[in-house]
Amino acid sequence: MADARRAARQRIESLQRAGVTGVRKSRGVQKAAPAAKTPGGEKGKSAAKPPATSQPTEAIAPVAKAVETTIAAAPPLDNAADRNAALNLIREKVVHCTRCKELCTTRTQTVFGVGNPMTRLVFLGEAPGADEDKQGEPFVGRAGQLLDKIIEACTLKREQIYILNILKCRPPGNRNPEPDEAANCREYLEGQLDIIRPDFICCLGAVAARNLLQTEVPISKLRGKLQTWRGVQVMCTYHPAYLLRNPAAKRDVWEDMKTLMRAMGVDVDKKGS
Ligand code: URA
C-alpha cells in the first residue's frame, strides 16, 4: 500500500515536472493519469532529443553546489538543458577520476552514459567493454547491438532512453567489477540517477542488479517481477552478452521486457517474441 501511494505520488510529481497542470495530490491512491503517447521518452512530451541550443537556467546553481555534497538533496530539474548541464558537472569529475588505481591507468577513456535526460526509463549495465572503452559510449559493441534490438522490440528508440553502467571505466580483460571499484563509482551513478529521476530502471545482468539493489540474490530470482529501489521500479533481466552465449534465455528477457512495458503503459503485447 505504501509502495502504491509512493508510486502514485511519484507519477504525479513526474507529470508536474513535465508541465502537466491540473493534477492534484490526494490522500488516497490516485488513479494513474493516462500514459503519455511516447512513454519511453520525455515525460508527457514526444521523445525529442534534448534541445542542443537551449541554455541551462539558474536552477542549475543549487545542483552544482550539491554535486559537491548530495545531489538528492537538490531541487529537481525540470528541463533537458538543466539536466544535461548538471550531468556534465558529474561527467567532468568522472573524466578526471583516479579513485581506482588500476582502472584509471588501463582505461582509454571514461564512459559516462548517453541518452535523454528527461526519460522515464534508464538501462543500467555493468561496465564498458573494449568497444565502449574505444568509443566512449555505453553498449556500442555486439551486446549493444542486441540491446538496440531489445529496445526496438519494446517500440522504443535509443534516443528516448538513457543508458549507463555501474562502472565508468573498463575493467581489464572485461573481468567483473571489484566491490571497491563499484563503491568508488557509486557516487557518480547515484548522481546521474538523482538528476534524471527515472520512474523505471532496467538492470542488465547480475552485476548491475546486485550492485544497484545491494543484494546477493541471484539474477534468476530477481528477474521476472518488478523490484523497487528508492521508490523507482526496477526490472532485472539477463545481460545481452549472456544472451549472445545463451540465445534460449531471450524468451525470459522478452517476458521481463513485456512486464516492464506494461508497467510503463507501453503496448507491446501484440508483438511476437
Ligand atoms: N556491457 C555492459 O555492461 N556495458 C557496456 O557498456 C557494454 C557492455
Side-chain angles (χ1 to χ4, degrees):
M1 195 61 179
D3 272 356
R5 236 188 324 249
R6 191 168 48 232
R9 195 175 58 241
Q10 282 177 341
R11 180 82 184 119
I12 291 166
E13 285 170 2
S14 108
L15 286 167
Q16 288 172 334
R17 284 204 300 276
V20 177
T21 53
V23 186
R24 273 187 302 118
K25 286 182 188 173
S26 77
R27 292 183 62 236
V29 180
Q30 194 159 321
K31 192 171 179 297
K37 269 199 181 140
T38 53
E42 269 187 56
K43 293 167 183 167
K45 296 182 192 164
S46 65
K49 278 189 185 172
T53 51
S54 57
Q55 295 298 313
T57 68
E58 65 276 10
I60 186 79
V63 177
K65 193 153 177 267
V67 165
E68 299 306 322
T69 53
T70 315
I71 297 170
L77 298 169
D78 65 1
N79 65 77
D82 283 349
R83 288 189 186 186
N84 277 327
L87 288 169
N88 282 340
L89 294 170
I90 303 178
R91 186 194 306 271
E92 199 51 34
K93 290 179 81 168
V94 167
V95 164
H96 300 291
C97 183
T98 56
R99 288 179 186 179
C100 302
K101 292 300 161 232
E102 182 185 18
L103 302 191
C104 75
T105 57
T106 54
R107 73 186 177 213
T108 304
Q109 59 188 313
T110 56
V111 179
F112 183 68
V114 70
N116 185 339
M118 301 300 286
T119 190
R120 294 174 65 208
L121 174 61
V122 163
F123 282 88
L124 175 63
E126 174 179 329
D131 294 304
E132 292 76 22
D133 176 69
K134 221 178 275 165
Q135 296 185 43
E137 188 170 323
F139 283 99
V140 290
R142 277 185 73 219
Q145 283 156 21
L146 183 50
L147 176 60
D148 286 346
K149 286 194 183 149
I150 295 169
I151 293 168
E152 203 180 304
C154 293
T155 70
L156 302 175
K157 292 193 172 68
R158 200 171 156 111
E159 313 85 77
Q160 291 179 293
I161 48 118
Y162 199 93
I163 307 176
L164 41 61
N165 282 310
I166 294 285
L167 290 194
K168 310 304 181 206
C169 298
R170 179 191 182 209
N174 295 347
R175 63 162 170 75
N176 278 351
E178 296 291 346
D180 62 327
E181 293 167 344
N184 287 341
C185 239
R186 182 85 184 181
E187 183 197 346
Y188 305 137
L189 171 67
E190 290 190 4
Q192 288 172 293
L193 295 175
D194 283 338
I195 289 165
I196 299 168
R197 292 177 182 246
D199 296 328
F200 299 88
I201 297 173
C202 181
C203 290
L204 300 166
V207 170
R210 291 162 76 175
N211 268 285
L212 182 78
L213 302 174
Q214 299 281 292
T215 177
E216 291 302 315
V217 176
I219 183 76
S220 57
K221 294 247 161 29
L222 289 171
R223 62 157 292 271
K225 55 185 179 299
L226 289 161
Q227 319 280 336
T228 35
W229 176 76
R230 298 189 184 170
V232 181
Q233 301 206 63
V234 178
M235 175 56 78
C236 303
T237 196
Y238 296 121
H239 194 286
Y242 174 77
L243 298 184
L244 291 171
R245 298 189 301 272
N246 300 279
K250 285 182 184 174
R251 188 179 295 273
D252 287 337
V253 170
W254 182 232
E255 289 306 316
D256 295 343
M257 298 317 291
K258 282 196 290 187
T259 302
L260 174 60
M261 290 303 119
R262 258 180 240 129
M264 292 181 66
V266 177
D267 184 10
V268 288
D269 283 321
K270 288 189 199 82
K271 284 186 81 111
S273 56

